[in-house]
Amino acid sequence: MIEKHNVSSYNRSSSKKFNFIKSIALVLLSSIALYSIHFNCLETPSEITLLKLAECPDAEIYRPKSYDSNKDVLYKIINDETFRNKSVVKMQNAVRIDTSSYDDLPIDVSKNLEKFQHFNVFHKQLREDFPLLHQTLELHMVNHFGLVYIWKGSDESLQPLLLMGHQDVVPINEDSLDQWDHPPFSADYDGKYLYGRGSGDCKNLVIGNMEGVEELIKVGFKPRRTVILSYGFDEEITGIRNKNAEFIESIYGKKSIYAVMDEGGVSLSQVGDSTMAIVGTGEKGYLDLSLAIQKKGGHSSIPQDHTAIGMMGDLIVQIENDKYPTYFTQYNPTFYQYVCYAENAVDIDEHLKHDILYSQVDELSNLNVRNYINSDRVTSYAIKTTQALDMIQGGVKVNALPEFVELKINSRVALEENITIAYDKFVKDAKVIADKYDLGLYVQFPYSNDTIEFKPPTDVGILTVKPINILEPSPVTTAHNSKWQLFAGTTRHVYEEIAYPEKYIDQGKRVIVTPGLGTGNTDTKLYWNLTDTIYRYRPGVLPSVLAGSHGINEYIEYDGHLQIIAFTFEYIQSVDESDD
């Protein structure tokens, strides 16, 4: 563990003069953006004493009391070739069944059962591959194709543990088939990797949960705390047909679940010499919106100076140049991700470490950290609202002026903001263009069916702004309680003592388990009523976003799948030993 700064002697009243001088220095330095320049002008980090407002929610290794008696089972899961090969067959069976969800699937499932028959094929395969699970757990079919398995515990006073995933996968673009090294539903396995659509998102989680449960049944485990497995069938198309959470709530009530674990987070990530497991404890909000320009058409031989497409192009430039602000606050679990890295990494730059640890009391340090995170596209999404201009359509003929042009945008809303704040930014951008080209401006706001006339229609045309889909940022799961200690501690236990015991035999090496921000909106949004504790995490080796999920050549490293089984096996037992 890196030695922490000594802050016990900090005194607010005795430091007023220092703070005054420091504030002047900050004003003089505020225009300096580069890291190295900043620290050439200030004292070294060890010479500055400030109050830290947060520390890493660290966790000691946690293993269930039954660990010693089940070591052979865990060794078999991770190392036995026979077990591995049998597991591979189950994964192959799952991946080879095409359970694609298409955007045009009907909402009313009952009246369109034939559209969802591929899930019946999947369910039949699950019954064949997991007979013990289906003999032991109660299966409830929810809205025809949702799966809810209930493993009743002996103590009804304990809140159930809920493990979840989804059965459906993203469809294959037929035009990309020649770019797949392995056919998307072949489930080819080469001894290290298993290939195919859904292998990483997220049939490996569904199958891994079931394999872990069956291993528990085989050793005679009988839960004290009820365990629920819940698998929806339309996660990839917003989950609007998923009624599993409503069904569970009808049985157990609101805020009745001990914790939920779903896909998400970052499995294992190598940051320099540090290995991190980042558990999603929050998700950004979701906003789809439409901006449309209606304008008189005509023959393209006598065009206006600015067609509807030209105006929309200007609006696009306005939107993309008008960036959302960045944040680095304790409300966002990303903050603790970087604090944990700063406190535990052995190879972190000392200046960066200082800025992270003192970011909440030093404005310049906060700015430096935000610039550091925002400089990388992969990490920048976590500290700001994003905007992706994804769809545009307009015009019907090359020699006819367009009369209608529509732009659709997807925005993921920062936890420090909300849908209204994010939406207002697009309204502001639209107003700039409406004023510039003398367009009328109509705006429909979220949570309202009314359309507001910001500017009346003109002879030029009308610009309209309206929401399509909205979801507020999620509640944030705390990482400062015993539930987190157990989850993070079990994660360390599985990686350090079961999966890689030789790698972590050195006391100085460890896996840093931290809170983080979920990379996408999952079915967990349907479960907010059931619990305040949601962990978006899929154990394993590779983050799914780096293994082709939703893209070409999706695959998993099979060691990671075995780690899901081991984690399920251990986590259920660990939670079963704890009291509410």
Side-chain angles (χ1 to χ4, degrees), residues 207-224:
I207 301 302
N209 286 167
M210 291 188 169
E211 289 184 88
V213 167
E214 282 224 331
E215 290 306 310
L216 285 170
I217 296 171
K218 289 176 184 177
V219 299
F221 175 77
K222 298 186 185 307
R224 194 170 65 108

Side-chain angles (χ1 to χ4, degrees), residues 531-571:
T531 183
D532 294 322
T533 304
I534 298 178
Y535 301 122
R536 302 159 184 88
Y537 188 65
R538 185 200 64 173
V541 181
L542 280 173
S544 62
V545 294
L546 299 181
S549 290
H550 289 209
I552 297 168
N553 293 324
E554 183 175 347
Y555 72 99
I556 57 169
E557 185 171 341
Y558 212 78
D559 284 352
H561 180 72
L562 300 176
Q563 290 161 21
I564 293 175
I565 303 171
F567 184 90
T568 302
F569 186 83
E570 291 291 83
Y571 184 55

Side-chain angles (χ1 to χ4, degrees), residues 294-520:
Q294 290 176 279
K295 195 176 185 297
K296 291 180 180 178
H299 200 286
S300 60
S301 63
I302 49 172
Q304 309 100 337
D305 288 342
H306 303 283
T307 69
I309 289 177
M311 292 176 182
M312 183 62 78
D314 204 358
L315 177 56
I316 288 171
V317 172
Q318 168 65 30
I319 290 170
E320 290 199 330
N321 286 341
D322 184 18
K323 308 292 186 183
Y324 282 96
T326 56
Y327 304 92
F328 192 65
T329 71
Q330 295 180 64
Y331 186 70
N332 186 334
T334 299
F335 170 77
Y336 290 101
Q337 174 185 333
Y338 280 88
V339 168
C340 290
Y341 173 59
E343 290 191 354
N344 293 283
V346 295
D347 58 341
I348 187 172
D349 178 272
E350 284 297 316
H351 297 146
L352 174 59
K353 174 180 176 180
H354 170 271
D355 274 352
I356 292 170
L357 295 180
Y358 298 114
S359 61
Q360 304 306 291
V361 291
D362 185 331
E363 292 182 6
L364 191 53
S365 288
N366 191 286
L367 174 63
N368 284 331
V369 177
R370 285 185 281 127
N371 287 341
Y372 172 78
I373 299 172
N374 199 42
S375 66
D376 187 312
R377 183 177 66 86
V378 176
T379 59
S380 65
Y381 80 90
I383 61 168
K384 64 183 179 184
T385 296
T386 58
Q387 51 186 19
L389 284 61
D390 291 326
M391 296 178 66
I392 189 166
Q393 59 182 21
V396 294
K397 203 170 185 297
V398 73
N399 63 348
L401 298 174
E403 296 178 339
F404 180 82
V405 181
E406 183 180 30
L407 170 70
K408 291 183 179 179
I409 299 175
N410 174 246
S411 177
R412 303 298 173 108
V413 182
L415 274 68
E416 291 83 359
E417 297 181 350
N418 57 38
I419 293 294
T420 299
I421 292 172
Y423 195 81
D424 284 349
K425 181 263 186 192
F426 293 110
V427 174
K428 180 188 70 174
D429 292 334
K431 190 174 186 304
V432 169
I433 299 305
D435 290 343
K436 182 174 180 178
Y437 294 104
D438 192 29
L439 291 165
L441 179 61
Y442 287 176
V443 178
Q444 179 185 334
F445 283 93
Y447 308 110
S448 172
N449 293 322
D450 298 328
T451 298
I452 297 176
E453 183 183 281
F454 272 61
K455 292 183 64 182
T458 69
D459 291 338
V460 178
I462 301 172
L463 198 166
T464 303
V465 186
K466 63 180 180 180
I468 302 172
N469 297 306
I470 59 174
L471 175 69
E472 293 290 352
S474 75
V476 177
T477 297
T478 182
H480 296 89
N481 62 11
S482 59
K483 292 181 181 180
W484 169 261
Q485 293 291 315
L486 192 150
F487 187 90
T490 303
T491 303
R492 287 190 61 194
H493 162 56
V494 169
Y495 285 132
E496 297 178 29
E497 297 185 328
I498 300 172
Y500 305 110
E502 295 179 358
K503 180 178 179 180
Y504 295 102
I505 195 169
D506 181 352
Q507 292 296 318
K509 290 188 176 182
R510 56 163 296 184
V511 174
I512 305 169
V513 185
T514 83
L517 196 63
T519 56

Side-chain angles (χ1 to χ4, degrees), residues 31-324:
S31 63
I32 301 174
L34 295 177
Y35 231 71
S36 59
I37 296 177
H38 165 50
F39 275 99
N40 285 335
C41 298
L42 291 180
E43 302 130 305
T44 61
S46 61
E47 294 172 336
I48 299 176
T49 302
L50 293 171
L51 175 65
K52 284 196 300 178
L53 298 184
E55 292 184 349
C56 176
D58 209 354
E60 297 298 324
I61 287 177
Y62 189 99
R63 61 186 73 85
K65 297 173 183 175
S66 55
Y67 169 59
D68 287 336
S69 60
N70 288 328
K71 277 184 178 179
D72 290 346
V73 177
L74 292 164
Y75 182 89
K76 176 188 72 173
I77 291 171
I78 297 297
N79 299 296
D80 184 78
E81 196 67 21
T82 299
F83 180 89
R84 183 187 186 98
N85 291 335
K86 289 181 179 178
S87 174
V88 165
V89 171
K90 293 172 185 176
M91 267 299 297
Q92 287 178 319
N93 290 341
V95 172
R96 285 171 179 161
I97 299 170
D98 182 353
T99 54
S100 296
S101 281
Y102 294 89
D103 288 339
D104 60 355
L105 280 174
I107 302 299
D108 191 333
V109 177
S110 297
K111 295 180 180 179
N112 298 277
L113 296 178
E114 72 282 356
K115 300 281 188 181
F116 300 87
Q117 287 306 309
H118 48 307
F119 291 104
N120 280 333
V121 179
F122 185 64
H123 300 164
K124 180 175 182 293
Q125 189 64 56
L126 292 179
R127 288 192 294 272
E128 292 178 5
D129 286 339
F130 299 101
L132 285 179
L133 182 144
H134 285 82
Q135 292 167 17
T136 308
L137 280 63
E138 296 177 1
L139 171 58
H140 301 268
M141 305 297 296
V142 182
N143 198 17
H144 300 283
F145 302 101
L147 302 176
V148 175
Y149 296 90
I150 299 179
W151 196 1
K152 284 190 175 180
S154 59
D155 189 342
E156 294 184 358
S157 70
L158 296 175
Q159 294 185 321
L161 169 67
L162 198 157
L163 307 180
M164 56 184 284
H166 59 87
Q167 308 168 55
D168 61 320
V169 302
V170 170
I172 304 299
N173 183 341
E174 296 294 326
D175 294 334
S176 73
L177 282 173
D178 62 344
Q179 300 176 51
W180 285 75
D181 296 331
H182 302 265
F185 297 104
S186 65
D188 288 345
Y189 173 66
D190 63 9
K192 183 175 183 180
Y193 301 109
L194 189 146
Y195 303 88
R197 173 63 86 230
S199 58
D201 185 12
C202 67
K203 286 181 177 176
N204 61 336
L205 189 56
V206 175
I207 301 302
N209 286 167
M210 291 188 169
E211 289 184 88
V213 167
E214 282 224 331
E215 290 306 310
L216 285 170
I217 296 171
K218 289 176 184 177
V219 299
F221 175 77
K222 298 186 185 307
R224 194 170 65 108
R225 182 191 298 275
T226 293
V227 178
I228 302 173
L229 308 179
S230 177
Y231 306 119
F233 60 97
D234 68 339
E235 192 271 350
E236 300 294 359
I237 48 175
T238 75
I240 195 170
R241 303 158 195 79
N242 186 340
K243 307 300 179 185
N244 289 13
E246 295 177 20
F247 172 76
I248 295 167
E249 186 177 327
S250 72
I251 298 175
Y252 297 100
K254 294 182 184 296
K255 302 301 180 186
S256 59
I257 299 300
Y258 169 88
V260 163
M261 176 184 167
D262 191 21
E263 62 174 332
V266 178
S267 304
L268 281 183
S269 178
Q270 201 66 30
V271 183
D273 290 334
S274 301
T275 303
M276 302 185 72
I278 303 167
V279 180
T281 54
E283 285 182 326
K284 296 171 80 173
Y286 186 101
L287 166 64
D288 290 330
L289 72 153
S290 161
L291 298 101
I293 294 177
Q294 290 176 279
K295 195 176 185 297
K296 291 180 180 178
H299 200 286
S300 60
S301 63
I302 49 172
Q304 309 100 337
D305 288 342
H306 303 283
T307 69
I309 289 177
M311 292 176 182
M312 183 62 78
D314 204 358
L315 177 56
I316 288 171
V317 172
Q318 168 65 30
I319 290 170
E320 290 199 330
N321 286 341
D322 184 18
K323 308 292 186 183
Y324 282 96

